[in-house]
Amino acid sequence: GQQLNQSPQSMFIQEGEDVSMNCTSSSIFNTWLWYKQDPGEGPVLLIALYKAGELTSNGRLTAQFGITRKDSFLNISASIPSDVGIYFCAGQGETSGSRLTFGEGTQLTVNP
Amino acid sequence: DTAVSQTPKYLVTQMGNDKSIKCEQNLGHDTMYWYKQDSKKFLKIMFSYNNKELIINETVPNRFSPKSPDKAHLNLHINSLELGDSAVYFCASSHLREFRTQYFGPGTRLTVL
């Protein structure tokens, strides 16, 4: 099956720092998504990307759909304590129909 | 008010038992999903139903049986529970044509002893 490699696995940063995480795939994806999961909760969609090269922002978050269609990155600027959580990339592959494949997640810790 | 709700939030049970998890959505979506999140936080699709019909059935032991009484509900029944079934199970929903935008429930943490 399709796999997404997400890195880094975890990050420990100071409040105010910028953060970057990325996701790569060995196959082409038609859609890239970024979710955040707070402790004890389900994932919440942050940003959806539908076209190669697309750059989309949601507040302090910016994500890009790689031009090769095999990667995506998420940046968080000026991090705050409530950014703590697990960030997942997810994608819909060319041959996966309505299935989403999720990355392994990036655990973000923000020190005040 | 809750968009996607699951019950129970926590479930602790013995090996060999049969248990059910319930999911309801009030978003008017026509498609619902069950995901399993393991101890390493890896999320994997198990099943998907569209208008009460099964459309995704991943390689899941047949001890897991989803049931959709109507398009707002998708329940998961698990027979003969095993230790390896311990995980967090998430329900999600979407419109089929907007399957990329899925709304997740709060999860059910299942612990099998």
Side-chain angles (χ1 to χ4, degrees), chain B residues 17-75:
Chain B
N17 284 349
D18 303 338
K19 289 293 177 187
S20 291
I21 307 172
K22 295 187 175 182
C23 179
E24 176 181 3
Q25 55 93 5
N26 62 7
L27 297 168
H29 290 155
D30 56 11
T31 305
M32 296 183 72
Y33 313 80
W34 278 110
Y35 286 85
K36 179 180 180 180
Q37 186 174 49
D38 62 23
S39 58
K40 295 185 180 178
K41 306 298 183 186
F42 185 62
L43 262 171
K44 190 164 167 40
I45 182 78
M46 300 173 69
F47 301 103
S48 173
Y49 270 73
N50 172 247
N51 284 324
K52 302 195 296 174
E53 288 192 20
L54 183 66
I55 57 171
I56 294 176
N57 184 0
E58 292 296 290
T59 310
V60 176
N62 57 14
R63 298 181 295 103
F64 290 78
S65 51
K67 293 270 189 312
S68 182
D70 55 62
K71 66 178 187 179
H73 296 84
L74 181 62
N75 303 324

Side-chain angles (χ1 to χ4, degrees), chain A residues 6-12 19-22 87 104-107:
Chain A
Q6 187 172 346
S7 65
Q9 269 193 327
S10 60
M11 302 183 79
F12 297 84
V19 169
S20 187
M21 58 193 80
N22 68 77
Y87 291 80
E104 303 108 323
T106 295
Q107 173 74 62

Side-chain angles (χ1 to χ4, degrees), chain A residues 38-76:
Chain A
D38 288 330
E41 301 292 331
V44 173
L45 182 65
L46 299 172
I47 293 179
L49 303 157
Y50 300 103
K51 288 186 202 173
E54 181 180 352
L55 184 72
T56 297
S57 292
N58 178 4
R60 293 177 295 106
L61 277 60
T62 302
Q64 184 157 30
F65 192 142
I67 56 171
T68 65
R69 296 170 66 192
K70 291 184 178 182
D71 63 335
S72 177
F73 72 73
L74 174 72
N75 285 343
I76 305 174

